[in-house]
Amino acid sequence: MSVQPIGSPSAIRLRFGPFELNVAERSLSKADRVIPLGGRAYDILLALLENAGDVVPKSELIARAWPDVTVEEGSLRVHLSGLRKTLGDGQFGNKYIANIQGRGYSFIAPVTPLPAARDSGDASLGLSNLPPALGRMVGRNNVILEIRRLLETEHRLITILGAGGIGKTTVALSVAHGALADFPGSVFFVDLSMVTGKEQVIGAVASAVGLAPQLVDSRAALLNFLSARRALVVLDSCEHLVERTAEIADYIFQNTSDVYVLATSRETLRVPGERVLHLCPLDCPPEQPRPTASEVLAYPAARLFAERVSARRGSFSLSDDEAPMVAEICRKLDGIALAIELAAGRAAVFGVRSTVARLGSRLDLLKSGRRTANPRHQTLKATLDWSHDHLSELERIVLRRVAIFIGHFSLEAACTVAEQEGIGRSEIEGTIENLVNKSLVVAWPSYRRMLYRLLDTTRSYALEKLAASGEHNWVAACHASYLSRSLDGTRSNLFDLEPGQSLADTIQHYLGDIRAALEWAFGPDGNDGAAIRMAAAASQLLLAKSLFMECRDWMERAIDRIGTDCDPRDQMEIHASLALSLMFTAGNSERVRDAFNSALAFAEQREDAYQQLRLLSGLSMYLHRTIDAAGSLEVARRAESVASKTGNPEDAALVDSMLGSAYYMLADHVRAPKYLERALHGAPASRRFNATQYLFDLRTTSLFNLTRSHWFAGNLDRASNYAARAVEEAEKSDHPIALCRALILTMPLYFWVDDLAEAERNLSALELTSEKYSLEPFRAVALGLRGRYLVRVGQMADGMCHLRNSLDKLRALRYEMLVTDFVSELAIGLARQNEPAEALALIDGSIATQIGSNRPLHLPALLLAKGSALLSGEPQQRDLAMASFEEAMTLAGQQSALSFELRAGLELARLWMDRGQIRKAHGLVGAVYGRFTEGFETPDLVSARRLLEQTRVRARRAG
């Protein structure tokens, strides 16, 4: 059989939009006017049209346009740009060519082949009984070509397998119409959906080929008729009579040599020689933020929707505003062609937005299809009724009960909700297999076991049956119980995934089920016990998915329902998860500390060292955020006592990280790096995230604290290396908390060394991440960092406004991270804008707070800022500035904070030089500079060398 793709003599003209491409003449016209088109542009356009709806790789387009020449991708981009301009791509709502990032290009507009007229002896005028094709298909070109290739290579029995409404009949009719030239007058379509008994199947086939129905021996007559011909017989909708249909198909196949059978079914025929082709749902646009119309229309499901809206409305151009809604419609309908067509009919009348809003009741929405279609194809409900009516009673029971699962489920899960007296596990397993064979349940291979799911449309239908059966509440209770047990069993290894497995992907399969179970447990049909168990079981998964607001809401509801008989372990999980979710969404209130302490009390009561360390590490993070250095050291010592009893090396590494963090906050830059380095050596770098220690990622924490400690100590090259590692490992952790903390606590180093480009890159990542996950404290810090950046690039007014807003938010959230940095930047800015009183009041207040709270770490930086603010005032304040720099230098020396000692020394030396004290300035800077061993290309060390040279020259001249 010959395959006739676009571009063959039987399809010499192609129409899209107002354009017509003549393949034979290699010409493009619009309204009968020839459009000039270069040879390479023509080849590129034809390659795209031949694969309309599919992505054509860049390499394939280059090979098509430059078959004997090696060119760069830039040449392709140039020709595509010119081609788009010629077509007016993007003008007046017209969209033709989409760039699919990282994959290639796709022609996304409808393309209509215009075949050359056939002569009067056309084979289609013979005995063939084909009904009209069901309209232009979208996204099925490859499938049709594959079936034609199979027919051409003598595969004589092919079954198109797929779920109801997926488009099997449409594909079969398209293949059949395309095969008329190869089977002259002998392509027959047999609609078995109207056949109700096994004995009627042979009569339906005989009638379809034109034989008289009253024949005594239909089988013999049919065989005699077909044997004399080269024929294609399409057996449509075989599933309800699959055994009898299989027998007839096998009879034809075995007793003829040139007759081909193409069957459509939701269940395979299972006869020798059968080649099965699974018809998958249409590809849908993935979830992504704000996709454009071109990006959405690159997927066939969306193109089908747009085309069917246009067919009903007269014209429809998808806008960028509507694109995310169309993508959502396609995903919710699982790429099922019939469902999408029905939804498009609704959208043509009521609009896209209304259609999205009403998709919750899918079956009510998806009615009123094409009047010309077979009755069971006119609505989705009719299609599903057809399948349901032909199920056994046990298959109906299992189907409606497993509909309680929103996502994937295992055989064990199916048995949990479907088992009852008289229905055993083996029967349920066999029934699931039958439902998979009938395309009502989809099998999904997992890395450990086979999983199953119902398409959303099928599930909506089965849920209606579940509600009508009166079993919904009992099945929902079994569903919640199963989920809470399963989650409870995976608490300790939630993050321990197989190599290459995505945490987000793993959790996503179960998140919908968990939400549904929580809603039921906390709802009127649930109970307190089920609610507490479900909330405790789900808490870590919600945190792992970074659903902090949702976790906080469920935990607060759970605490209101905790009774005296609740499991202490569940109470501990609920209090701990409330502490973490509150901390990341609402700041560092006393409620956070109280929740941690409540959880710790349960852990200590149970003498559970594992849980104590998890909770102490979370409390340590809280104290780090509030800059409670003494409290942080006390908690680290408590953890050290617990870890000494476990003997676990990872527990010891956790304690080292906590101790190192505490010593860093106490400005001990000698002891801090020792503990932090030891923590890194004790924690395996291959571990993607430390599941055993809640959300305290000890590697990221150790790396950013090492960054800051080495920076303060003057080890600037090491600090830069650790900063890069901290962000890199945080990105690999696939967790927004770890990433935000790494970005926030390494970014000040880039401001210190004037690397504003790196600061801007990291700041953009911080803003996006904190916004995406509603992490209010981190958003407040990002606001202040943006203010610092704006001040540094000369946008003083905007920068200071950002800094003020950030400080207000951080005070309300009790989040002390980087507050002193923002106070210093704002005070200097105020002084430079002739507001010295406000500047000094702001910075003196911050200094007093640090001293009163025993926070020595940031005092050198604040004293430096105070000196700079004083320098911007009256000349008589220069002595006060000098005193401030001297104090900063002395305190930095006591803390071994060599970087701050040098910066204060440089400011002081410049003042001395202004007074003619050249040798004194030289000796001061030279002594500090000589203690550096690295970082010689950073701004302060470059300035120090210049100052030393200046003082050396001036001293020589004076001598």
Side-chain angles (χ1 to χ4, degrees), residues 876-914:
Q876 59 267 28
Q877 291 185 313
R878 295 174 74 81
D879 287 342
L880 294 175
M882 190 177 296
S884 186
F885 290 137
E886 286 176 339
E887 188 177 358
M889 191 173 182
T890 299
L891 188 55
Q894 293 171 357
Q895 295 179 2
S896 300
L898 189 58
S899 288
F900 289 86
E901 191 176 356
L902 176 62
R903 184 162 288 187
L906 285 168
E907 296 290 351
L908 192 57
R910 292 185 185 107
L911 291 174
W912 285 348
M913 289 173 68
D914 291 344

Side-chain angles (χ1 to χ4, degrees), residues 10 21 40 51 68 233 242 274 398 511 586 721 821 839 863 949:
S10 66
L21 188 91
R40 299 199 193 282
N51 298 276
D68 302 314
V233 179
V242 67
E274 179 187 25
V398 173
L511 192 55
N721 289 334
D821 288 12
L863 289 166
E949 183 61 27

Side-chain angles (χ1 to χ4, degrees), residues 168-371:
K168 300 184 296 295
T169 302
T170 303
V171 169
L173 279 173
S174 178
V175 171
H177 277 280
L180 284 169
D182 295 281
F183 298 93
S186 299
V187 179
F188 305 104
F189 184 84
V190 186
D191 183 1
L192 295 173
S193 65
M194 309 303 293
V195 177
T196 57
K198 295 180 181 180
E199 67 281 354
Q200 298 172 6
V201 174
I202 188 67
V205 178
S207 177
V209 302
L211 295 177
Q214 67 271 21
L215 288 172
V216 176
D217 189 353
S218 298
R219 285 168 59 104
L222 177 64
L223 190 62
N224 288 335
F225 178 85
L226 291 176
S227 296
R229 287 169 170 77
R230 173 176 168 79
L232 172 65
V233 179
V234 180
L235 302 176
D236 187 47
S237 304
C238 305
E239 54 274 348
H240 65 301
L241 298 166
V242 67
E243 293 181 1
R244 181 58 170 164
T245 305
E247 180 185 329
I248 299 300
D250 185 54
Y251 176 74
I252 294 171
F253 180 77
Q254 298 294 343
N255 292 283
T256 64
S257 60
D258 214 14
V259 178
Y260 293 68
V261 177
L262 178 62
T264 74
S265 178
R266 300 173 201 180
E267 189 172 353
T268 58
L269 302 184
R270 301 183 186 179
V271 297
E274 179 187 25
R275 179 66 180 264
V276 177
L277 193 145
H278 291 264
L279 194 60
C280 299
L282 295 170
D283 283 345
C284 298
E287 287 193 59
Q288 58 178 324
R290 295 183 292 278
T292 65
S294 292
E295 289 171 335
V296 168
L297 289 172
Y299 293 85
R303 286 201 304 282
L304 176 65
F305 180 90
E307 286 197 13
R308 295 304 185 256
V309 174
S310 294
R312 292 286 292 272
R313 186 187 291 181
S315 65
F316 174 70
S317 180
L318 182 64
S319 67
D320 286 345
D321 289 339
E322 290 177 322
M325 292 182 275
V326 170
E328 183 182 353
I329 289 172
C330 295
R331 287 195 301 272
K332 282 187 173 181
L333 298 178
D334 289 302
I336 301 296
L338 176 59
I340 290 170
E341 290 194 18
L342 295 170
R346 277 294 178 133
V349 178
F350 299 107
V352 173
R353 190 178 301 276
S354 173
T355 303
V356 172
R358 299 184 63 190
L359 263 182
S361 53
R362 292 178 180 84
L363 299 177
D364 291 336
L365 176 69
L366 303 178
K367 294 179 178 179
S368 303
R370 292 169 293 183
R371 291 187 179 90

Side-chain angles (χ1 to χ4, degrees), residues 20 114-115 121 135 151 658 680 694 754 914:
E20 185 174 298
L114 304 173
L151 292 172
M658 293 169 67
L680 283 180
Y694 252 124
D754 285 340
D914 291 344

Side-chain angles (χ1 to χ4, degrees), residues 816-864:
E816 300 292 336
M817 289 292 186
L818 305 192
V819 162
T820 54
D821 288 12
F822 302 156
V823 165
S824 298
E825 197 83 51
L826 182 58
I828 294 172
L830 288 167
R832 290 174 180 171
Q833 292 187 334
N834 296 318
E835 298 181 47
E838 184 182 352
L840 291 174
L842 178 66
I843 207 157
D844 282 340
S846 187
I847 289 172
T849 298
Q850 304 305 307
I851 293 173
S853 302
N854 189 27
R855 302 176 186 171
L857 180 65
H858 299 297
L859 283 174
L862 288 168
L863 289 166
L864 262 168

Side-chain angles (χ1 to χ4, degrees), residues 118-128 180 184-185:
R118 297 180 184 270
D119 59 29
S120 58
D122 194 308
S124 65
L125 300 178
L127 297 174
S128 295
L180 284 169

